[in-house]
Amino acid sequence: MPYERLKAYEGRPAVSGRGPDPVNIPMIRHWCEAMGHTGPDRAGTDPVAPATMLQAWTLGGLSGGAGERSRAYEELLGLLEGAGCTAVVATDCEQEYLRPLRPGDVITFEEVIESVSPRKTTALGTGHFLTTRTEIRADGELAGIHRFRVLRYAPRPRPTAPPAPAPAPRRPRPVINRDNAGFWDGVAAHRLLIQRCGDCGKLRFPWLPGCGDCGSARWSAVEASGAGTVFSYVVMHHPPFPAFEPPYAVGLIELAEGVRMISNVIGVEPERIRIGMPVSLEFVRVDEDLELPFFRAHEPHEPHEASGARS
């Protein structure tokens, strides 16, 4: 298909609609509780919705979308599917915050087709990157801009010949950058490090460049004891993933210091894990050059103490 046919849809409307509910305190509270956010602007008589909730106010929920697709958008998707691009995967999004959202704000949004890339070849297959730009308004005033990019692609055909033996799968490598390098230095030294704000003293995890409570960029590293409890968990059965043997448990661990982190829960059968179960830290070597902090669960009658044990 000539690329010019796809590019002609750039700038045309995609979806428009109205948020199913005005900005409201219960949804702000549930979001903050789920994210562990306790900033002073989220409570009191004049709460402000966290900026990263921007898209949440436009979602229709399980009953369906809050807006309707335009004819142009349906035509574009039809052309892509006709060209064999029947699969889709989200790649990234960008958000710009222009105005705080407060309870009572009525949300409307307009989404346009911002760009369609030339045909690209990726590890998944060949296709086009489709970017939409959504302007989100509160009581008619522009409050934020949300860009969302997906890859519409033709899946690679399955090989007909048996593939060569693959090397043993390895766990995904952590992404280490200047903001979290200190944490991984601690893991290498068998120390579980969290951050303490240099101004208000608030402990935080995961590692961030600034304090979510007071905004200060000053901080120091504090070694956690490694003791904690299971705050929540899931047991993964399907789909299978290389280097992970199901069933396995992934827990949200509340450390004794009050912060929470996600890691594997080991030491008991996954079906025996319960919320509130005590856990202790272990550093586990998962392959030849990667160690990770795991948490060993303990039955109520089982004595335990936090340690930096290696497995």
Side-chain angles (χ1 to χ4, degrees), residues 5-72:
R5 288 192 64 188
L6 300 177
K7 190 171 179 61
Y9 285 89
E10 292 182 349
R12 299 179 67 177
V15 182
S16 62
R18 179 187 180 100
D21 298 291
V23 177
N24 59 85
I25 292 176
M27 193 165 177
I28 294 174
R29 184 179 71 251
H30 294 324
W31 176 282
C32 292
E33 288 177 355
M35 298 299 177
H37 189 88
T38 57
D41 54 342
R42 313 301 184 225
T45 58
D46 187 26
V48 176
T52 48
M53 287 186 72
L54 183 66
Q55 189 186 20
W57 306 110
T58 69
L59 301 177
L62 296 177
S63 60
E68 294 186 1
R69 288 180 175 176
S70 69
R71 180 177 178 180

Side-chain angles (χ1 to χ4, degrees), residues 280-295:
S280 58
L281 172 68
E282 289 189 13
F283 290 94
V284 176
R285 182 169 292 280
V286 295
D287 56 44
E288 69 278 4
D289 60 0
L290 180 63
E291 282 188 289
L292 295 173
F294 285 6
F295 288 89

Side-chain angles (χ1 to χ4, degrees), residues 32-267:
C32 292
E33 288 177 355
M35 298 299 177
H37 189 88
T38 57
D41 54 342
R42 313 301 184 225
T45 58
D46 187 26
V48 176
T52 48
M53 287 186 72
L54 183 66
Q55 189 186 20
W57 306 110
T58 69
L59 301 177
L62 296 177
S63 60
E68 294 186 1
R69 288 180 175 176
S70 69
R71 180 177 178 180
Y73 195 38
E74 293 286 3
E75 289 176 357
L76 174 60
L77 297 182
L79 288 174
L80 289 169
E81 290 185 4
C85 300
T86 57
V88 60
V89 62
T91 60
D92 62 281
C93 70
E94 302 171 9
Q95 291 187 338
E96 182 179 354
Y97 311 118
L98 304 174
R99 171 197 185 282
L101 298 178
R102 290 185 167 84
D105 286 339
V106 175
I107 302 301
T108 55
F109 58 94
E110 294 181 354
E111 180 179 323
V112 299
I113 303 163
E114 185 170 68
S115 65
V116 185
S117 77
R119 198 169 184 92
K120 304 287 187 180
T121 299
T122 73
L124 295 173
T126 61
H128 300 269
F129 288 93
L130 172 60
T131 304
T132 55
R133 179 181 186 272
T134 306
E135 292 189 352
I136 298 172
R137 299 180 181 273
D139 293 333
E141 181 182 356
L142 186 62
I145 298 172
H146 176 79
R147 283 185 175 86
F148 190 64
R149 187 174 294 108
V150 299
L151 172 64
R152 293 267 176 174
Y153 65 98
R156 291 183 180 275
R158 294 186 178 182
T160 55
R170 303 201 312 165
R171 286 204 176 214
R173 306 290 99 173
V175 176
I176 301 176
N177 55 41
R178 64 181 182 179
D179 292 329
N180 66 10
F183 170 77
W184 292 106
D185 289 342
V187 170
H190 289 182
R191 302 174 66 206
L192 183 62
L193 300 180
I194 57 180
Q195 290 176 295
R196 173 184 285 139
C197 177
D199 285 325
C200 70
K202 180 75 172 182
L203 295 174
R204 66 177 184 261
F205 190 89
W207 281 44
L208 295 170
C211 178
D213 278 31
C214 71
S216 171
R218 298 176 59 245
W219 59 270
S220 59
V222 177
E223 183 173 3
S225 67
T229 57
V230 176
F231 185 83
S232 182
Y233 69 96
V234 294
V235 177
M236 303 299 298
H237 295 272
H238 188 79
F241 193 83
F244 292 81
E245 184 177 349
Y248 58 93
V250 179
L252 178 61
I253 305 302
E254 184 163 78
L255 299 178
E257 290 74 15
V259 300
R260 299 170 190 160
M261 67 177 293
I262 295 174
S263 186
N264 286 96
V265 179
I266 61 174

